[in-house]
Amino acid sequence: MDAPEKEKFWQKKGKIALYMAAGTGAVVGAVVWTHIEPAPVTNRKRVLLFDLENEIMLGKNSAQAILDEQQGKLLPPTHPSYQRIHQVFQRLVKSLPKTPVDQMVSAALDFDNLYVIDSPDTANAFVLPDGSTFVFSGLLDKECSGADGEGKLAVVLGHEMAHALQRHGGERLSYGGIISPLLMGVTFVCTFLGLDLSGGWWSTLCLLNMEQKAFEVLTMLPQNRQCESEADHVGILITAAACYDPVLGPKLWRDWNTRVVQPSNDGDGDGVVITLTPPEYLSTHPANERREKDLNALLPEAEKMRNEACMELGNSLKDAAKA
């Protein structure tokens, strides 16, 4: 094949690759456009490709898998730690009708499934898309201890409930369903054009890895941070509607920052332990300072909700006392 023929060949191949890329983008774009909807409370634009029923089914399957994995580690409902968590959690659940969350979603989730895992060294909690809630016992001692412990626990649980109520699990699944065909399209086009940095499988693997990381940094991580900020927003409203002090929201993150640098335990008391965190653009969560600042900005809204909810509670208590 002489030079002019080679040039025509690559021009034709380039046009075909361009058409394939444009076609893939158009199909994915059409799917995304037809599945955009506003999130409750915040009106943030989001993409949901799956029905709520599918998300709930996935949540139930995940819950069963976790229960199988944690057999023998679940605290009984009679345990003091379980009762403490259950009391706060039920108070939050009962406050949901007073909040601006999607009440249809709230009614569909089963918040009766609360599980406390005996793990003193783990300070964590999460709520699955079906409402199943898992709390590690270390949360009580590490993050939710002291005089403000109950209120801080309410902030953490309210945040996790907000993830389920705002259907963030469905969003993550949807973004995965969008990005996967895009990655496949890019890979196919590169293969079609014969793009291989050195002609070997190693360079192809590196190229695919770079594509995946680029999509992750540019799309998945920002979307995840938006969900976390939204869960902070909705969660503090749930906490306030349950008559807990919303000031404990930003205080929780402020206290967390004070533990980033702390005295070491090496015996001489001279060193420090520094917890290194990645830059925000490489993290799944907003920076602690940003979360504290954003929650402080939401305090007037949360205080108003708390005043209204607690006024109703106070009136009902007065009526009960008169009776």
Side-chain angles (χ1 to χ4, degrees):
M1 186 183 296
D2 55 24
E5 290 179 340
K6 284 185 178 180
E7 184 178 354
K8 289 181 180 179
F9 172 78
W10 282 108
Q11 286 179 351
K12 182 178 180 181
K13 207 168 188 179
K15 287 181 180 180
I16 295 174
L18 181 62
Y19 292 150
M20 288 191 297
T24 302
V27 171
V28 173
V31 172
V32 170
W33 180 259
T34 55
H35 288 81
I36 294 177
E37 62 178 61
V41 185
T42 63
N43 288 320
R44 176 181 59 89
K45 298 299 182 183
R46 65 182 183 181
V47 177
L48 285 173
L49 302 181
F50 300 92
D51 293 333
L52 178 60
E53 290 77 11
N54 293 330
E55 296 173 25
I56 291 175
M57 183 60 66
L58 288 172
K60 289 181 178 179
N61 293 338
S62 298
Q64 188 56 55
I66 296 171
L67 291 174
D68 293 341
E69 181 183 350
Q70 299 294 336
Q71 279 186 353
K73 298 181 182 179
L74 298 179
L75 295 180
T78 56
H79 194 281
S81 294
Y82 183 99
Q83 292 180 345
R84 178 183 170 191
I85 294 170
H86 182 265
Q87 180 181 7
V88 174
F89 188 65
Q90 285 303 307
R91 186 167 157 182
L92 294 170
V93 172
K94 291 177 181 178
S95 76
L96 291 178
K98 304 174 186 177
T99 67
V101 301
D102 189 325
Q103 296 301 322
M104 185 189 72
V105 175
S106 176
L109 303 186
D110 188 359
F111 287 120
D112 290 332
N113 296 325
L114 172 66
Y115 306 98
V116 179
I117 300 171
D118 186 15
S119 181
D121 296 328
T122 306
N124 194 19
F126 55 88
V127 179
L128 295 176
D130 69 316
S132 296
T133 302
F134 292 83
V135 183
F136 292 83
S137 61
L139 185 64
L140 296 178
D141 297 327
K142 292 180 176 294
E143 307 299 333
C144 303
S145 59
D148 296 332
E150 182 177 337
K152 288 182 177 179
L153 178 61
V155 171
V156 174
L157 294 179
H159 171 93
E160 298 303 329
M161 290 171 67
H163 277 306
L165 290 164
Q166 296 295 105
R167 301 178 61 186
H168 290 162
E171 278 193 61
R172 282 190 287 272
L173 287 172
S174 299
Y175 270 80
I178 294 168
I179 291 175
S180 293
L182 288 176
L183 284 173
M184 291 176 61
V186 172
T187 303
F188 183 79
V189 169
C190 290
T191 304
F192 179 78
L193 291 175
L195 296 180
D196 190 5
L197 298 180
S198 64
W201 64 269
W202 177 252
S203 60
T204 302
L205 183 63
C206 290
L207 179 62
L208 293 177
N209 187 59
M210 286 189 293
E211 291 174 9
Q212 184 175 359
K213 290 299 181 183
F215 272 102
E216 182 180 348
V217 172
L218 295 175
T219 59
M220 295 294 288
L221 292 181
Q223 187 269 342
N224 207 89
R225 290 193 295 271
Q226 287 180 354
C227 287
E228 290 297 331
S229 295
E230 185 172 80
D232 283 344
H233 184 164
V234 177
I236 203 66
L237 296 182
I238 296 173
T239 304
C243 299
Y244 288 105
D245 188 356
V247 171
L248 294 175
K251 185 177 186 299
L252 181 70
W253 293 109
R254 184 165 59 252
D255 291 347
W256 181 269
N257 278 333
T258 62
R259 291 194 295 274
V260 171
V261 179
Q262 55 186 321
S264 68
N265 295 319
D266 57 5
D268 57 16
D270 294 329
V272 294
V273 176
I274 301 177
T275 303
L276 298 177
T277 56
E280 188 175 68
Y281 67 90
L282 293 178
S283 176
T284 58
H285 290 61
N288 293 342
E289 296 86 351
R290 181 185 296 276
R291 300 179 80 169
E292 179 188 350
K293 180 181 177 182
D294 291 346
L295 284 170
N296 273 320
L298 290 169
L299 286 181
E301 180 184 359
E303 290 285 4
K304 180 181 178 182
M305 176 159 290
R306 183 189 182 211
N307 291 336
E308 293 173 354
C310 294
M311 184 180 298
E312 294 178 7
L313 177 62
N315 291 336
S316 64
L317 292 176
K318 289 179 181 178
D319 293 340
K322 290 178 181 179

